[in-house]
Amino acid sequence: MHHENCMWIKCLTAYWRAYLSVVIHHNYYTVTKKLMSVGPTLASIPVNPIGIMAGKAVTKVVKRCQYAKEEQNLDLSECQLMSIPDAVYHLMRNTVILACDLSSNVLRKIPPKFAIKFTYITDLNLANNRLSSLPEELRDLSNLKRLDISQNDYMLFPKVVFKLPNLIFLNAQKNHITSIDVEKLKSIRSLREVNFEDNPLTNVSREQLKSMESVVVTVHVNPPVDEDSEDDIMNLENVSPSGGENRQ
């Protein structure tokens, strides 16, 4: 009986390794064949499902999940993730996670169930991905104090952030955000620091954000753009080397 249990544990481990590899390399055809090969005998377990690179990435994810069980800090940064594997939720199902780092992956979205599975998170780092939105379910992260969405593909500021009642620190640096509803941002009474540097904000939005700054709140934004200077640059671009204007 003991031998049989060990055999199934190894089979399950092989299944999760192959499943994680789907997410990491997005090679559905190859991995489906590997998943089909996982059976009740040791001979059917694939030794190296997707190759050496995939194997290292999968091992990294599994080891970090094991570490998170002790530290309550789930660090999945730089794991080549295109989405969050269901295997991660499974491995963390009996663990209270207080901090989660998903930075420097290739994530395009955060699934709604993320907030359901990790309701106690106080620190969430989503920096350096390809995100352009956040699920409405994140409003349920009532303990969230730090949120980093910098270096992503946001053109519109995610409105669910306004519904985070205990947010203290917000980093939205290096996105493509042009405007922000500052009044709604002010409604987050707990907020102490925001960073919107390196976004193409309008001068109006920059000024409104700076108006938030006080003894309590620190605001980071680029200086307003001088509209006259922009016009001068455009005029210079239309001048030929000989001194005359370029003709279209």
Side-chain angles (χ1 to χ4, degrees), residues 8 10 21 39 44-45 50 52-53 65 92-93 115 125 129 132 136 145 151 156 166 183 215 226:
W8 279 107
K10 291 182 178 179
S21 297
S44 66
I45 298 175
I50 306 299
I52 295 174
M53 290 299 291
C65 285
M92 297 288 98
R93 67 189 183 281
N125 188 349
N129 279 285
S132 59
E136 189 65 22
K145 295 180 179 179
Q151 299 183 66
L156 298 174
N166 293 305
E183 290 305 313
V215 175
D226 188 337

Side-chain angles (χ1 to χ4, degrees), residues 62-110:
V62 173
K63 284 184 177 180
R64 290 188 179 183
C65 285
Q66 293 171 342
Y67 178 79
K69 291 181 179 180
E70 298 178 2
E71 301 297 323
Q72 295 184 303
N73 178 7
L74 180 58
D75 181 4
L76 296 180
S77 61
E78 299 181 339
C79 286
Q80 306 171 38
L81 296 177
M82 299 181 72
S83 64
I84 302 172
D86 282 341
V88 170
Y89 300 120
H90 178 79
L91 291 170
M92 297 288 98
R93 67 189 183 281
N94 296 320
T95 304
V96 174
I97 296 299
L98 299 179
C100 183
D101 187 348
L102 293 167
S103 65
S104 300
N105 285 293
V106 284
L107 299 172
R108 293 187 179 276
K109 65 178 182 179
I110 301 298

Side-chain angles (χ1 to χ4, degrees), residues 195-209:
N195 191 336
F196 282 92
E197 290 181 337
D198 300 318
N199 278 283
L201 293 168
T202 63
N203 282 345
V204 171
S205 290
R206 294 176 201 270
E207 291 170 3
Q208 289 178 340
L209 282 167

Side-chain angles (χ1 to χ4, degrees), residues 163-179:
K163 301 176 183 179
L164 298 172
N166 293 305
L167 192 65
I168 294 175
F169 173 82
L170 169 65
N171 187 2
Q173 187 180 18
K174 293 185 179 180
N175 278 286
H176 312 290
I177 301 168
T178 57
S179 63

Side-chain angles (χ1 to χ4, degrees), residues 61 135 137 215:
V61 171
E137 286 75 8
V215 175

